[in-house]
Amino acid sequence: PMSDIVVILVAVVMGGFVKGVTGSGLPVVAIPIIASFTGVETAVVIMVIPSITSNLQLIGANHGELHETRHLFRMVIAGMFGVAFGTFVLTAVDERILGLVLAGVIIGYITLNRLRPMFVLSERLASVTAIPIGFLGGTLQGSSGVSSPLLSPYLHAYRMPRRAYAFSLAVLFMVFGVIQIPSLAVAGLLSADRLAVGALAVVPIFIALRAGMKIGGRLSNAAFDRWVLAVLALTATKLIIDAFN
């Protein structure tokens, strides 16, 4: 129905804007809104193309920041194995419990950030944890379709420049999304209608993402941190609500 398409376009524009500002948030904002009208499965499939294209756009806009990233290649490789593991092994995990655990991680990180605003993940700890976190992020992507609740706060604790942070998240989300497509195809969920609606959303997302990137570029570091923390808080809230529904 046309009303559903309008809702989908509004949802992806909102999500695209938030992603442009903070580097993440598109699925967190868009999928719950779309799912309330179309169902979760349809919402996830519709967001496949928009998610991949929006992350490619961020990668292109911030590719010059590659030298500022930390342990990104190791996280990507580990995450690729994690996606496969999550897709084919962890399908029986109770998503509500998983969601509550992730919400707890986010709330803990936000609390730590507020109590210790200058908290930075040390290079030694980052080196030790990059591969396990990359694998867990991929596992979450494969088992639930969302990895940002773990990866966003982890990379935020690196305290990289904002564009390097956005670039790192975009690379991870894009690779994980591409790897997840075959599993959706095998499950018979990639219908032409769903993909067509997703393709229709690419242009408005492109516009909203660019607008968000322009505004994000004008924010101070403190304001950028507040935006990121706000998106994380929204993510935690959604996870808790989903766990009790």
Side-chain angles (χ1 to χ4, degrees), residues 59-73:
I59 291 171
N62 299 302
H63 67 276
E65 300 299 311
L66 177 61
H67 67 286
E68 295 282 0
T69 63
R70 296 168 64 185
H71 309 295
L72 180 58
F73 180 74

Side-chain angles (χ1 to χ4, degrees), residues 54-182:
S54 62
N55 284 311
L56 282 173
Q57 188 178 344
L58 280 179
I59 291 171
N62 299 302
H63 67 276
E65 300 299 311
L66 177 61
H67 67 286
E68 295 282 0
T69 63
R70 296 168 64 185
H71 309 295
L72 180 58
F73 180 74
R74 298 166 67 194
M75 292 183 70
V76 168
I77 297 301
M80 291 170 66
F81 287 98
V83 171
F85 180 72
T87 300
F88 297 108
V89 180
L90 294 185
T91 53
V93 170
D94 190 327
E95 291 186 3
R96 292 176 297 177
I97 295 177
L98 185 62
L100 288 174
V101 171
L102 289 174
V105 170
I106 294 172
I107 292 170
Y109 176 73
I110 292 174
T111 302
L112 178 63
N113 184 274
R114 293 295 87 191
L115 294 176
R116 296 181 59 189
M118 298 309 294
F119 170 74
V120 179
L121 196 64
S122 69
E123 175 56 32
R124 180 178 180 181
L125 187 57
S127 178
V128 170
T129 56
I131 289 179
I133 292 296
F135 181 81
L136 287 175
T139 299
L140 290 173
Q141 186 72 35
S143 60
S144 67
V146 179
S147 55
S148 61
L150 176 67
L151 297 178
S152 295
Y154 179 76
L155 290 177
H156 187 247
Y158 276 13
R159 298 296 179 176
M160 295 179 288
R162 71 182 67 177
R163 292 184 63 183
Y165 168 82
F167 177 81
S168 298
L169 280 178
V171 169
L172 288 164
F173 293 159
M174 190 272 294
V175 172
F176 291 177
V178 169
I179 292 176
Q180 196 177 18
I181 288 177

Side-chain angles (χ1 to χ4, degrees), residues 4-5 7-12 26-47 144 146 194 197 238 242 245:
D4 284 359
I5 293 178
V7 169
I8 290 168
L9 293 179
V10 171
V12 297
L26 175 55
V28 172
V29 173
I31 286 181
I33 298 174
I34 297 172
S36 65
F37 288 84
T38 68
V40 175
E41 279 189 0
T42 299
V44 170
V45 176
I46 285 174
M47 288 305 299
S144 67
V146 179
R194 290 170 173 175
V197 173
K238 176 189 177 297
D242 288 349
N245 282 339

